[in-house]
Amino acid sequence: MKLAKVDHIGIAVRDLDAAIEYFARRYGAKVASREEIPQDKVEEAMIQVGESYIQLLAPTADDSPVAKFLEKRGEGIHHIGFGVENLDGLLEELSAQDAQLIDDRPRLGGGGKMVAFVHPKDGPGILVELVQE
Ligand code: CO
């Protein structure tokens, strides 16, 4: 198995503070980190759940991919982030299988980690983020 763990579940939200407040009030959640990711035009807040995280994502611009997602689908699960041990190697394998990659090489994501996205149309409608552990 090339996926080591569920690293995080990305949830698109309109109002980051309201979403943080919701998880705090309902489940006692605390924010582990919060940062703006300019290249993705989002602000994210990470909430730790055991060994995984909930990643709350709010758009910072109208042309942000998350803004487009919210327009089409509303708030909800946006992607699943899987931790992998060898992102370069896995991307090579996926390319050789003609997988529909959004990123064919690793790029910088949240938390200073290298990531690559696989298109929802590659599989059963799930946007997959591969995260180098
Ligand atoms: Co993510």
Side-chain angles (χ1 to χ4, degrees):
M1 176 56 162
K2 289 154 192 171
L3 307 174
K5 66 171 191 182
V6 176
D7 183 80
H8 64 272
I9 296 175
I11 301 176
V13 302
R14 291 198 172 85
D15 182 332
L16 194 57
D17 289 316
I20 289 168
E21 195 276 327
Y22 167 78
F23 280 98
R25 172 167 43 88
R26 194 65 86 220
Y27 303 112
K30 290 189 185 107
V31 172
S33 66
R34 181 171 175 159
E35 68 178 311
E36 202 177 323
I37 318 285
Q39 62 270 34
D40 292 334
K41 298 180 180 172
V42 295
E43 188 180 6
E44 71 167 38
M46 300 296 269
I47 292 171
Q48 190 161 8
V49 183
E51 291 186 3
S52 305
Y53 290 85
I54 292 170
Q55 179 188 48
L56 302 172
L57 294 163
T60 54
D62 291 341
D63 62 343
S64 161
V66 171
K68 288 173 191 162
F69 178 92
L70 287 168
E71 223 169 83
K72 265 211 241 168
R73 312 261 296 264
E75 292 184 308
I77 292 180
H78 178 262
H79 67 271
I80 299 179
F82 292 107
V84 302
E85 278 161 20
N86 178 1
L87 182 54
D88 288 286
L90 180 53
L91 285 175
E92 265 176 44
E93 285 180 43
L94 295 178
S95 289
Q97 294 165 19
D98 292 322
Q100 292 187 54
L101 303 177
I102 294 172
D103 305 297
D104 55 9
R105 54 188 59 195
R107 66 180 181 82
L108 191 61
K113 291 183 177 173
M114 298 307 285
V115 304
F117 282 87
V118 182
H119 201 283
K121 285 181 181 159
D122 187 63
I126 303 292
L127 175 60
V128 167
E129 178 181 9
L130 303 170
V131 183
Q132 176 67 54
E133 297 238 289

